[in-house]
Amino acid sequence: MRNRFMIATLSTTLVLSGCASTDNKEKKDEKVVHKKKETMEVKQDAVSLPEEAETKHVVDATLSDLYTDEELLAYANDHINDFWHVYYCYMAGTFFEGTGDFGNTLITDPNIHSLQDIENVWYQYFSRRYPIPYMDINTNVYKEVPFWEENGQVYERYRIDGVVGSHLYFDHIEQKTDDEVWFSVYVEYVDGKIDDANQQWSFVYDGGQLKYGTIVRNNQ
C-alpha cells in the first residue's frame, strides 16, 4: 500500500514538474521571442538611418552646372563696364579719391594707408588666381607704376586715358573650364563701326562667386 502511495506521489510530482518545466519553457520561449522582436526593432531603426552617401558634403559645382552659356554671357556683359573701370583705373592710378597735380596725387581715401591696402581693394573685385598687373610695368599699359608710398603717405599717378565715344561688349565665349570662362571683346563706335579688340577677358568662379580674372591681348 505504501509503495502504491509513493508511486502515486512520484507520478504527481513528475506531472507537476512537467507542468513547471512546460511553463518555464513557455516563459523562456516568450523571452526569446520578445528579445528577437527587440533585436528586429533595433535592426529596423538602423536601416532607417541616412546612408553614408547622403551625409557627405556636396562637391562644388562647375560653371556648366551653375550657369548656361547664355547666362554667363549676359552676366559678363552686365559687368563689363565695371571690369573695365576697376582694371584701367588701377592701371592709370585713378581709382581712389585724391588731391594734387596730375602725375602726383595724394590719396585721401580714409581706408588707404599703404600699398597693401590698395592691393586688398583690388582683390575684392579680382580673383587671387592671377598676380596684380598694375604695379608691373611690363603688363601695365601705361608702362609706369601707378601707386607708390612716400613719407608715410600713398600717392597715385592719376592719368586720364581711354577710348572716347565707344562701347565695349562681349560677343561670345572663347573658352570655358570648370571654374573660369573667357570672352572675346569687341568695340562698337558711335558711327556703328565694330572692331575686334583682339582681347580676351576672363571671369573666375572664386569662393562661391564670379570674380574678374585677367585680360589677355591676342596680339602679344
Side-chain angles (χ1 to χ4, degrees):
M1 183 73 177
R2 183 179 177 183
N3 289 337
R4 290 180 180 176
F5 177 77
M6 290 179 63
I7 292 172
T9 302
L10 182 59
S11 299
T12 302
T13 302
L14 289 173
V15 170
L16 292 174
S17 177
C19 290
S21 176
T22 302
D23 291 341
N24 290 336
K25 185 175 183 304
E26 289 177 355
K27 290 180 180 179
K28 185 177 181 180
D29 290 342
E30 288 178 358
K31 288 182 179 180
V32 172
V33 171
H34 183 66
K35 187 174 182 180
K36 286 183 177 180
K37 184 177 180 181
E38 288 180 346
T39 303
M40 291 176 64
E41 289 176 352
V42 171
K43 287 183 177 180
Q44 182 63 34
D45 290 341
V47 172
S48 64
L49 292 175
E51 296 293 336
E52 182 182 356
E54 296 175 0
T55 61
K56 291 181 179 179
H57 294 292
V58 178
V59 178
D60 288 341
T62 66
L63 283 177
S64 295
D65 295 328
L66 296 170
Y67 309 100
T68 65
D69 287 355
E70 291 76 14
E71 289 172 335
L72 286 171
L73 185 59
Y75 180 90
N77 275 311
D78 286 342
H79 290 80
I80 190 171
N81 290 334
D82 186 64
F83 194 152
W84 183 92
H85 171 76
V86 178
Y87 190 91
Y88 282 100
C89 283
Y90 259 79
M91 290 290 182
T94 59
F95 187 80
F96 300 96
E97 295 180 0
T99 180
D101 299 327
F102 288 103
N104 187 20
T105 299
L106 172 65
I107 295 178
T108 58
D109 188 312
N111 298 312
I112 302 301
H113 305 285
S114 67
L115 293 179
Q116 184 61 56
D117 293 334
I118 291 178
E119 180 178 327
N120 291 340
V121 175
W122 169 268
Y123 282 123
Q124 290 177 15
Y125 297 89
F126 286 82
S127 169
R128 290 185 179 273
R129 170 169 299 180
Y130 298 100
I132 55 175
Y134 55 88
M135 296 294 284
D136 184 352
I137 61 174
N138 294 315
T139 57
N140 189 308
V141 294
Y142 300 110
K143 303 302 179 184
E144 58 186 7
V145 175
F147 305 102
W148 68 94
E149 292 184 51
E150 185 177 327
N151 299 324
Q153 295 178 308
V154 187
Y155 292 82
E156 59 185 353
R157 186 67 61 190
Y158 205 75
R159 286 194 51 166
I160 301 297
D161 200 355
V163 182
V164 180
S166 62
H167 167 66
L168 297 175
Y169 68 94
F170 295 122
D171 182 73
H172 62 276
I173 292 177
E174 190 69 30
Q175 57 180 314
K176 181 174 62 173
T177 65
D178 286 346
D179 60 356
E180 186 169 18
V181 57
W182 295 80
F183 299 91
S184 292
V185 183
Y186 286 76
V187 183
E188 182 178 5
Y189 300 96
V190 291
D191 60 1
K193 180 184 177 182
I194 296 176
D195 283 337
D196 186 344
N198 292 315
Q199 296 180 8
Q200 294 181 29
W201 298 15
S202 78
F203 288 72
V204 179
Y205 189 64
D206 186 350
Q209 66 180 105
L210 281 170
K211 284 191 170 185
Y212 306 141
T214 190
I215 294 176
V216 174
R217 292 162 183 80
N218 297 336
N219 56 356
Q220 289 185 348

